[in-house]
Amino acid sequence: MKKIVAIYSTPLIAATLSLSALAADGENYWMNTDRGSVAVGAFFVEESTEVRLSSDTLGTGTKFSFQDDLGFDEDSEVARISGHYRFKPRHRINFGYFNISNDATTTLLRDIQFEDTIFTAGSAVRSELDFTVMNMLYTYSFFQKPTLDLGVSTGVNLYDFDSKITAPATQTREEGDGTAPLPVLGLRVRWAFTPKFLLGASFDYFEIDKSGSEGQVIDILVAVEHQTWKNAGLGLGYNDVSIEAEDKEDRDELDWDYDGFVGYARFSF
């Protein structure tokens, strides 16, 4: 029995000592072999969307909630892709994409003016909302160690939405859409706290306050990744985003908040 224990325990002790040596040296395979990567996963998102779209003929529109007024579900599950390409040791490009599409049918409890149409209380309406989020950022790592990478980033977050409200009884339909490419500044942190586990965090921010427009974007992401295989691993993160935009001249307004957990697999090369 002692011989069997010795046979099986020797490789385990050796592996433990090797792992301890790697940790002591601060080596992390994920960071050292990572030139680029693609992460594919699911975003379990909870959102709140409020919109006001005004009219030149009817005046200031109604600010309404797609969840509270139009019956949309707050929770969604969507596919999400992100990644980066490091073209020099301290320079990389980060990118991301996901799309949220929802629809609902409900009976209005109050009048809603949406652009050039007034949908009256008691009307049965069908609503659709399609939101796409894309980003492309450049990151410069100003501090690099075997287990720690700190960087600053700048780039563009693109928010595109397309909405429709239809009253089938009267065949009345109104559509609204918009695209907002917003520049952002941010911070990036990657910390390998073991040879297999990596903690990543990012913070992106944008604010504008001019005579004709006002807006703010705050995007926070924290994730833990495990390098399960040589060039692939699993991650779990949490993303919290707040977007506020107002066009004072056209009297249009958008407040969009979303947050949720992101589960994904990352493939590096």
Side-chain angles (χ1 to χ4, degrees):
M1 182 68 177
K2 291 182 179 180
K3 184 179 292 186
I4 295 175
V5 171
I7 291 173
Y8 282 94
S9 63
T10 300
L12 179 60
I13 293 171
T16 304
L17 291 174
S18 299
L19 186 64
S20 300
L22 285 175
D25 292 338
E27 184 177 358
N28 179 273
Y29 297 127
W30 192 266
M31 297 184 73
N32 291 347
T33 63
D34 182 282
R35 182 172 179 82
S37 70
V38 176
V40 180
F43 188 17
F44 303 91
V45 58
E46 180 178 335
E47 61 176 323
S48 172
T49 313
E50 294 185 342
V51 171
R52 183 203 308 275
L53 293 179
S54 300
S55 166
D56 292 335
T57 56
L58 298 179
T60 303
T62 305
K63 186 173 182 179
F64 63 91
S65 166
F66 277 86
Q67 287 74 32
D68 296 336
D69 293 304
L70 299 183
F72 277 46
D73 289 334
E74 293 183 352
D75 301 321
S76 302
E77 299 175 10
V78 300
R80 177 164 171 162
I81 183 170
S82 63
H84 78 275
Y85 175 70
R86 188 188 305 275
F87 55 93
K88 286 188 177 181
R90 291 181 179 269
H91 306 266
R92 67 182 185 268
I93 299 296
N94 295 87
F95 63 88
Y97 171 88
F98 69 89
N99 173 268
I100 302 176
S101 295
N102 282 316
D103 61 77
T105 299
T106 191
T107 300
L108 295 180
L109 299 179
R110 61 177 179 132
D111 292 351
I112 290 179
Q113 179 196 324
F114 185 55
E115 287 201 332
D116 296 322
T117 302
I118 297 177
F119 297 91
T120 58
S123 301
V125 297
R126 176 176 174 79
S127 311
E128 301 172 49
L129 179 64
D130 184 271
F131 244 120
T132 300
V133 178
M134 294 179 283
N135 61 63
M136 184 73 70
L137 303 171
Y138 161 74
T139 300
Y140 170 72
S141 297
F142 61 86
F143 181 88
Q144 281 186 327
K145 293 293 182 180
T147 60
L148 184 63
D149 186 300
L150 304 179
V152 292
S153 61
T154 182
V156 176
N157 284 4
L158 179 66
Y159 304 97
D160 181 82
F161 80 95
D162 184 12
S163 56
K164 302 179 181 67
I165 301 178
T166 305
T170 59
Q171 293 298 306
T172 304
R173 175 173 173 167
E174 191 64 74
E175 301 183 12
D177 56 52
T179 301
L182 302 179
V184 292
L185 296 174
L187 299 172
R188 296 288 186 275
V189 178
R190 301 175 84 216
W191 174 41
F193 55 94
T194 79
K196 289 291 185 180
F197 280 97
L198 177 74
L199 174 66
S202 65
F203 173 80
D204 293 320
Y205 182 78
F206 167 78
E207 184 173 2
I208 185 173
D209 188 358
K210 294 185 177 180
S211 57
S213 59
E214 183 177 336
Q216 183 183 75
V217 175
I218 299 175
D219 188 333
I220 301 172
L221 173 64
V222 178
V224 175
E225 299 181 0
H226 179 263
Q227 187 189 2
T228 313
W229 302 277
K230 181 179 180 181
N231 295 105
L234 302 175
L236 178 65
Y238 182 79
N239 194 194
D240 189 358
V241 180
S242 175
I243 302 168
E244 299 177 2
E246 182 179 1
D247 187 326
K248 297 179 181 179
E249 183 176 343
D250 292 336
R251 294 160 296 175
D252 296 338
E253 193 172 347
L254 168 66
D255 292 335
W256 187 33
D257 298 309
Y258 65 88
D259 66 278
F261 287 96
V262 187
Y264 58 92
R266 182 177 298 280
F267 306 93
S268 65
F269 54 88

